[in-house]
């Protein structure tokens, strides 16, 4: 079960302490066995946490239409409840019965949704790219993983962008409506050519770069603004990255492909429209919010913007009498960028795999609010992950007095260069170990840093660079809690902190130091730490008390200062000794102090 405790903790629930809740208490699933298997899965680079469902399935609420192939994948693993067009209130009511939720862009996954789920919701899957409709901060605070499907609709969105660009330039929508109304207005619908014109692609990510590639094929001169895109990737397809000011000033056409963030909100506004070429044409298949829609109407009326083609709106659907939608120089579609048969099938599979994987405890490759750890790294770190959680768990159980745990220092000693050691996973597990034994909060990879911060727990990390060949990622890990008393005084180091140190030996986490005493005990089951006067027969005395009530001793080690002086004995036990036995151990005359700790 040692692997179970470490692995289940990665993304799921409290489980590793004997006193902690089991999976049954956390997920309304009757998961019986958990084990870690760091193999590759399909094409994805993700580790696996294998969970065997014995008699119940998780429930996945699909709140917007999803392709059949995705639904089929979900149904193999979960109960699937497809309920479309839910009001916010209905969603909040239903969510308390669901382990996962899948949405597209039409559902607001607000803080209320996470609050209403009362901890049951473990995964939100966004069947598409933009996660601006999901309250990520609230998800993280509630330990809920958010995954998206970032690749399957890229081409569809890019093709829609090009469709809008060409349709706008040649007045296709307006001309179509005119002919259908019985008119024949050949002079009214004279268009503009694309060839030789400058297109500014704003946001050179997946969609933007595909739009750029296609526009080059149409003979356009393409420039792009993206502060975070690598210039060589743009150069490779003949696109020059330029500043925002230069892009908007030079463009005949502007196509928007950035995410909606605080920085991009209303990035096209009165001020920026004023800097554009008169007669510029604008395409938006990103998010409505990147344009100040009132400012766009003004710019259209003033002739600064000759035309706009919009797939997305600040409010969707937009008001029926929206001036922007009704404007004769504006072409609109109802957020159709991702809506091709192919993209929807792809997105459905992509999100279903991500959600099922996350429910199984895998670290999702498309996690939006959790560190993504490549499979190779995870395979190597697995025993250290276990060690980290157990050291945190041990250290906090040694704390006494009411001052609270505020300041924790973690030291990683390794021969690896700091850049080769990503400690986020280890830090999250130490945090989990520190917090869970003393609270009802469950901590996972998603919410570890947030939970620590919220509790005023400051975790500082230090790395010690060792000489030698860096075969293993870490030589030892040390956890120190400052400014606290200990119920086991020997755990206080010479510098005044509670200190525990451990290492991985033959793939098994070991405790190797308590305070200033060196011990060596594998971190499995539970542990009795006992300081005694070093004298013969102590091991036998303690062993026979435990043996009398059939408590199996898995490990024993004695660390002493000097022969016949003080020694700390660490005893690993498979079963929990009775209070009576613990009392008897404490009554052995040579025993000066002892503590029983659950791992
Ligand atoms: N209309 C639709 O149905 C669809 C819309 N989308 C939207 O298209 C947008 C782009 O999607 P992807 O290309 O998949 O995302 P992406 O993440 O691959 O690309 C976004 C790019 O925008 C850049 N960016 C961020 N802040 C910027 C700023 N201030 N100025 C300029 N560039 C900035 C990023 O560096 C990144 O390269 C998203 O908003 C997404 O929601 C995506 C698919 C379908
Ligand atoms: O993937 C995106 O960002 C989209 O905008 C697509 O939205 P949709 O899934 O079609 O509601």
């Amino acid at each position: 079960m040692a692997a179970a405790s470490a692995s289940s903790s990665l993304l799921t629930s409290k489980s590793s302490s004997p006193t902690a809740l089991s999976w049954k208490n956390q997920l309304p699933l009757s998961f019986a066995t958990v084990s870690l298997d760091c193999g590759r899965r399909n094409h994805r680079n993700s580790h696996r946490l294998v969970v065997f469902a014995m008699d119940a399935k998780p429930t996945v609420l699909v709140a917007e239409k999803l392709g059949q192939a995705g639904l089929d994948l979900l149904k193999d693993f979960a109960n699937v409840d497809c309920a479309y067009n839910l009001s916010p209130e209905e969603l909040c009511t239903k969510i308390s019965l669901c382990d996962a939720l899948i949405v597209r862009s039409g559902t607001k996954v607000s803080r209320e949704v996470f609050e209403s789920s009362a901890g049951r919701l473990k995964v939100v899957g966004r069947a598409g790219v933009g996660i601006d409709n999901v309250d990520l901060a609230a998800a993280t605070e509630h330990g809920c993983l958010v995954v998206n499907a970032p690749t399957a609709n890229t081409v569809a969105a890019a093709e829609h962008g090009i469709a809008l660009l060409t349709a706008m330039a040649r007045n296709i929508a307006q001309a179509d409506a005119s002919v259908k109304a019985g008119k024949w207005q050949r002079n009214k619908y004279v268009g503009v050519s694309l060839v030789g014109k400058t297109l500014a692609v704003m946001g050179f990510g997946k969609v933007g770069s595909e739009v750029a590639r296609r526009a080059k094929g149409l003979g356009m001169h393409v420039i792009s603004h993206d502060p975070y895109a690598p210039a060589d990737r743009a150069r490779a397809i003949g696109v020059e990255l330029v500043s925002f000011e230069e892009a908007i000033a030079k463009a005949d056409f502007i196509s928007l492909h950035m995410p909606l963030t605080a920085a991009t909100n209303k990035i096209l506004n009165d001020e920026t429209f004023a800097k554009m070429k008169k007669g510029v044409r604008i395409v938006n298949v990103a998010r409505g919010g990147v344009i100040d829609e009132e400012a766009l109407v003004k710019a259209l009326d003033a002739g600064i913007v000759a035309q706009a083609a919009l797939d997305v709106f600040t409010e969707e659907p937009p008001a029926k009498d929206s001036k922007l939608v009704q404007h004769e120089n504006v072409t609109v579609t109802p957020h159709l960028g991702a809506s091709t048969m192919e993209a929807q099938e792809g997105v459905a599979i992509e999100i279903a795999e991500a959600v099922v994987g996350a429910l199984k405890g895998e670290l999702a490759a498309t996690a939006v609010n959790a560190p993504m750890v490549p499979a190779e790294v995870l395979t190597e770190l697995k025993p250290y992950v276990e060690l980290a959680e157990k050291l945190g768990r041990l250290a906090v159980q040694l704390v006494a007095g009411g001052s609270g745990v505020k300041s924790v220092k973690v030291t990683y000693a390794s021969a690896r260069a700091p850049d080769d050691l990503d400690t986020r996973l280890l830090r999250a597990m130490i945090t989990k170990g520190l917090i869970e034994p003393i609270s009802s909060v469950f901590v996972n990879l998603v919410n570890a840093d947030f939970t620590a911060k919220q509790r005023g727990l400051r975790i500082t990390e230090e790395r010690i660079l060792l000489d030698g060949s860096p075969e293993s990622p870490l030589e030892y890990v040390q956890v120190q809690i400052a400014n606290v008393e200990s119920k086991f005084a020997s755990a206080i180091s010479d510098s005044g902190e509670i200190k525990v140190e451990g290492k991985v030996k033959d793939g098994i986490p070991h405790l190797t130091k308590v305070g200033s005493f060196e011990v060596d005990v594998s971190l499995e089951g539970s542990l009795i730490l006992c300081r005694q006067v070093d004298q013969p027969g102590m091991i036998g005395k303690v062993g026979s008390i435990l043996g009398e009530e059939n408590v199996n001793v898995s490990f024993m080690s004695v660390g002493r200062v000097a022969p016949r002086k003080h020694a700390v004995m660490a005893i690993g036990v498979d079963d929990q000794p009775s209070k009576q036995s613990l009392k008897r151990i404490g009554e052995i005359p040579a025993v000066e102090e002892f503590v029983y700790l659950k791992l």
Side-chain angles (χ1 to χ4, degrees):
M1 273 311 282
S5 57
S7 52
S8 63
S9 53
L10 291 175
L11 267 179
T12 53
S13 346
K14 285 181 86 151
S15 63
S16 50
S17 150
T19 48
L21 298 173
S22 71
W23 274 68
K24 274 191 182 165
N25 302 87
Q26 292 295 317
L27 283 171
L29 326 172
S30 297
F31 287 138
T33 315
V34 193
S35 69
L36 193 64
D37 152 16
C38 299
R40 282 176 98 88
R41 181 174 168 272
N42 298 339
H43 57 284
R44 283 270 169 70
N45 217 13
S46 62
H47 89 287
R48 290 205 67 192
L49 171 68
V50 183
V51 179
F52 302 101
M54 296 301 280
D55 58 5
K57 288 175 161 188
T59 296
V60 179
L61 174 61
V62 178
E64 289 181 72
K65 196 158 170 23
L66 194 69
Q68 192 56 43
L71 289 176
D72 292 345
L73 269 172
L74 289 172
K75 282 177 188 162
D76 284 345
F77 178 74
N79 297 316
V80 179
D81 180 2
C82 293
Y84 309 146
N85 303 317
L86 293 173
S87 67
E89 294 73 29
E90 287 167 334
L91 177 59
C92 285
T93 306
K94 257 187 178 290
I95 208 67
S96 61
L97 303 172
C98 300
D99 306 293
L101 167 68
I102 294 183
V103 297
R104 288 177 58 185
S105 61
T107 306
K108 288 255 171 304
V109 189
S110 61
R111 178 170 288 277
E112 288 71 46
V113 173
F114 294 103
E115 283 166 359
S116 306
S117 96
R120 181 162 168 178
L121 188 64
K122 291 283 174 290
V123 190
V124 171
R126 164 37 173 137
V129 182
I131 30 89
D132 43 287
N133 53 323
V134 180
D135 187 332
L136 276 187
T140 305
E141 286 168 31
H142 287 81
C144 181
L145 181 72
V146 179
V147 289
N148 70 350
T151 58
N153 68 22
T154 299
V155 166
E159 287 178 350
H160 198 65
I162 295 291
L164 285 177
L165 180 78
T166 50
M168 172 176 69
R170 302 306 292 270
N171 303 303
I172 302 289
Q174 294 84 345
D176 175 75
S178 155
V179 175
K180 284 178 176 152
K183 299 178 191 160
W184 193 254
Q185 300 174 290
R186 288 173 27 106
N187 293 335
K188 182 168 182 189
Y189 295 120
V190 173
V192 290
S193 190
L194 299 177
V195 71
K197 298 282 166 55
T198 297
L199 170 69
V201 170
M202 310 300 279
F204 196 75
K206 294 184 294 296
V207 179
S209 55
E210 289 301 325
V211 165
R213 203 188 302 276
R214 283 160 178 73
K216 294 282 290 180
L218 296 171
M220 300 186 83
H221 170 61
V222 183
I223 55 175
S224 178
H225 170 68
D226 187 328
Y228 316 106
D232 52 348
R233 202 160 54 85
R235 222 176 293 122
I237 57 170
V239 172
E240 190 194 350
L241 286 181
V242 298
S243 68
F244 179 82
E245 303 290 325
E246 186 176 346
I248 60 166
K250 284 192 171 164
D252 302 302
F253 292 80
I254 293 175
S255 194
L256 299 167
H257 301 289
M258 62 264 271
L260 177 60
T261 62
T264 62
N265 189 28
K266 295 191 179 169
I267 199 164
L268 298 196
N269 50 42
D270 283 328
E271 202 185 317
T272 50
F273 283 127
K275 294 176 180 162
M276 292 177 192
K277 263 189 191 173
K278 194 166 164 59
V280 65
R281 289 174 165 81
I282 293 173
V283 175
N284 189 6
V285 285
R287 281 294 178 269
V290 301
I291 300 181
D292 177 338
E293 291 177 340
E294 270 183 42
L296 176 57
V297 172
K298 280 190 264 168
L300 282 158
D301 287 342
I304 298 173
V305 175
Q307 288 182 299
L310 311 171
D311 183 46
V312 285
F313 304 88
T314 306
E315 195 188 314
E316 295 185 358
K320 283 204 178 84
D321 60 352
S322 154
K323 276 193 188 153
L324 183 61
V325 172
Q326 299 303 333
H327 203 285
E328 65 165 342
N329 294 337
V330 174
T331 303
V332 289
T333 48
H335 202 145
L336 290 182
S339 295
T340 61
M341 309 286 278
E342 296 83 354
Q344 280 314 304
E345 210 57 10
V347 161
I349 293 170
E350 199 176 4
I351 203 63
E353 284 183 343
V355 167
V356 168
L359 282 173
K360 284 179 178 172
E362 292 171 10
L363 281 177
T366 60
V368 175
N369 61 343
M372 287 176 265
V373 185
E376 315 77 74
V377 176
L378 195 84
T379 307
E380 206 184 23
L381 282 185
K382 187 201 144 206
Y384 299 91
V385 161
E386 217 175 299
L387 173 69
E389 182 183 351
K390 290 193 169 165
L391 288 178
R393 201 170 275 281
L394 273 187
V396 81
Q397 288 180 74
L398 288 166
V399 173
S403 53
V405 178
K406 293 271 176 273
S407 174
V408 174
K409 181 174 162 195
V410 182
T411 307
Y412 309 98
S414 171
R416 295 231 172 132
D419 286 354
D420 289 343
L421 183 66
D422 184 345
T423 58
R424 287 172 306 169
L425 188 58
L426 299 169
R427 188 178 66 236
M429 299 316 287
I430 290 169
T431 308
K432 178 179 170 66
L434 286 167
I435 293 177
E436 286 196 345
I438 55 167
S439 82
S440 58
V441 178
F442 85 89
V443 182
N444 61 20
L445 262 185
V446 177
N447 66 1
D449 285 345
F450 170 80
T451 311
K453 197 167 167 207
Q454 201 189 33
R455 296 179 65 88
L457 173 60
R458 192 166 157 266
I459 301 184
T460 51
E461 293 175 291
E462 188 189 52
R463 295 175 193 206
I464 296 179
L465 190 56
L466 301 173
D467 293 335
S469 78
E471 268 161 30
S472 57
L474 283 165
E475 188 52 37
Y476 65 84
V477 181
Q478 198 178 78
V479 176
Q480 294 180 78
I481 306 182
N483 308 320
V484 285
E485 292 165 27
S486 177
K487 59 175 77 148
F488 186 67
S490 315
I492 303 278
S493 68
D494 296 340
S495 48
E497 297 92 15
I498 287 183
K499 178 160 103 181
V500 289
E501 189 178 297
K503 56 168 65 173
V504 170
K505 293 185 176 178
D506 299 328
I508 311 265
H510 278 237
L511 176 68
T512 51
K513 206 172 219 179
V514 176
S516 307
F517 291 90
E518 289 186 3
V519 294
D520 189 357
V521 58
S522 80
L523 287 167
E524 292 168 301
S526 308
L527 189 65
I528 297 169
L529 292 176
C530 183
R531 187 189 63 205
Q532 79 261 353
V533 179
D534 183 33
Q535 56 178 238
M538 282 305 293
I539 293 179
K541 277 184 195 152
V542 175
S544 58
I545 292 173
L546 295 170
E548 275 171 38
E549 63 168 15
N550 206 22
V551 170
N552 196 40
V553 173
S554 58
F555 256 87
M556 247 192 200
S557 102
V558 180
R560 61 189 187 179
V561 179
R564 309 258 168 188
K565 295 205 166 156
H566 298 293
V568 163
M569 182 157 57
I571 308 161
V573 284
D574 289 340
D575 320 283
Q576 176 159 2
S578 67
K579 279 195 180 136
Q580 187 62 23
S581 297
L582 291 173
K583 188 162 172 274
R584 283 177 61 201
I585 292 171
E587 282 165 1
I588 298 172
V591 169
E592 293 169 337
E593 59 168 347
F594 83 105
V595 65
Y596 170 70
L597 305 164
K598 298 173 181 182
L599 298 174

